[in-house]
Amino acid sequence: MKFEIHTAIGHGPALPPAPLDTHEAAREFTATLAHLLQVEPVRVIHDEYRAAEYVWTNVTVSLPAVGEAVFSVDSRKTAREAVRLYLDNKTVPFVWTDSESAGQAFARAVADAARERDARAARQG
C-alpha cells in the first residue's frame, strides 16, 4: 500500500539517542496497520518536538472507518516506558517483546483494540 509520511521536526541542541528508531517504527506501524486492517491510511504525520533535554515524538495515522492511531515516544524514559499508544484518544495497552519490532507490536495492539471496539459496538447496537 502506498502512503506518504509527513515529518515536522523542530531543531535544537544535540540530544542523546531516542529509546527507539522512531522513523523506522513509524514506517512499520503504518504499513502493518494498513495490512492488518486492510485500509489505506488517509494521512500519516510524524512530529518531533526537540527541547534542550529531550525529544517528544508523535506518529499519527488516520485510517478511514477505523480512526486515528497514535504512538508517542518520550526520550527521557527507557524504551518500553517511553511509549504511549492511542486509538481515537483512548489509551491502548500493548506488549512489546524482543521477538517483534516496535512498529509491528504497536500496530497489532491498535488493530486488536479497533476490532474489540467494533465488536463491542456491534453487541450494543
Side-chain angles (χ1 to χ4, degrees):
M1 296 188 168
K2 294 181 181 179
F3 56 85
E4 183 178 333
I5 297 178
H6 302 280
T7 303
I9 301 174
H11 295 282
L15 298 167
L20 62 99
D21 180 345
T22 57
H23 295 280
E24 181 62 26
R27 283 188 292 278
E28 290 177 344
F29 182 62
T30 305
T32 305
L33 277 172
H35 173 74
L36 291 173
L37 298 170
Q38 292 299 296
V39 63
E40 189 75 27
V42 174
R43 181 178 63 242
V44 180
I45 300 171
H46 183 167
D47 294 318
E48 285 185 2
Y49 171 76
R50 294 175 180 253
E53 60 281 339
Y54 70 97
V55 176
W56 186 275
T57 303
N58 285 315
V59 175
T60 304
V61 180
S62 297
L63 301 159
V66 176
E68 286 203 346
V70 177
F71 78 82
S72 294
V73 180
D74 182 345
S75 69
R76 296 172 290 188
K77 300 177 181 176
T78 61
R80 284 165 179 74
E81 296 167 350
V83 178
R84 296 291 178 261
L85 193 56
Y86 305 93
L87 176 61
D88 289 335
N89 294 318
K90 293 186 174 109
T91 303
V92 173
F94 66 95
V95 175
W96 173 22
T97 64
D98 293 335
S99 65
E100 187 172 37
S101 73
Q104 291 171 342
F106 305 159
R108 283 189 204 297
V110 167
D112 290 345
R115 290 180 187 120
E116 288 173 22
R117 178 199 61 199
D118 294 347
R120 194 170 38 254
R123 285 191 303 271
Q124 294 173 353

